[in-house]
Amino acid sequence: ILETPLTIKYNAVDGRYFSVVGTRIEAGRAFTDEDESSRRRVAIISRALAARWPASTTALGSTLRIGGDQTPWEIVGIAEDAAINAIGEPAEPYVYLPFGLVDPG
């Protein structure tokens, strides 16, 4: 478990996002329609974020909290690092959440 809060960018995406943009899921799985229909709080993180997990634990299957919301999100997948803002930028920690579960407000 990461004890130190990090500032991490995130985005809400559809379950097909990874296959459409060509980002591989390296461990675990992508989102499913069932995740959204069950309102299950699951997340996929980038390899750069998974690398920040303590060596004694694994990110896959762990939970994280986002912002002031203390309800945990279960990490079900680790995606390869991808450009977020510009092609060729350095990899940065990133979180993907299921589109239907994120409050836009």
Side-chain angles (χ1 to χ4, degrees):
I1 297 174
L2 292 174
E3 297 298 330
T4 306
L6 299 172
T7 299
I8 300 171
K9 295 176 183 173
Y10 72 94
N11 199 359
V13 301
D14 181 89
R16 293 168 292 280
Y17 172 82
F18 298 98
S19 62
V20 169
V21 300
T23 300
R24 283 184 309 113
I25 299 295
E26 296 182 339
R29 63 176 178 83
F31 298 129
T32 65
D33 291 339
E34 186 177 323
D35 290 329
E36 284 197 37
S37 65
S38 70
R39 311 278 308 152
R40 187 169 168 220
R41 293 172 66 100
V42 294
I44 296 170
I45 64 172
S46 66
R47 181 179 351 139
L49 180 54
R52 303 207 46 179
W53 241 252
S56 61
T57 62
T58 178
L60 194 61
S62 295
T63 60
L64 56 88
R65 289 175 176 76
I66 299 170
D69 184 357
Q70 291 303 302
T71 306
W73 294 77
E74 179 188 359
I75 299 168
V76 297
I78 298 172
E80 69 180 328
D81 291 327
I84 302 302
N85 299 304
I87 294 173
E89 70 184 356
E92 63 182 292
Y94 204 80
V95 176
Y96 301 91
L97 304 173
F99 184 76
L101 298 183
V102 176
D103 180 7

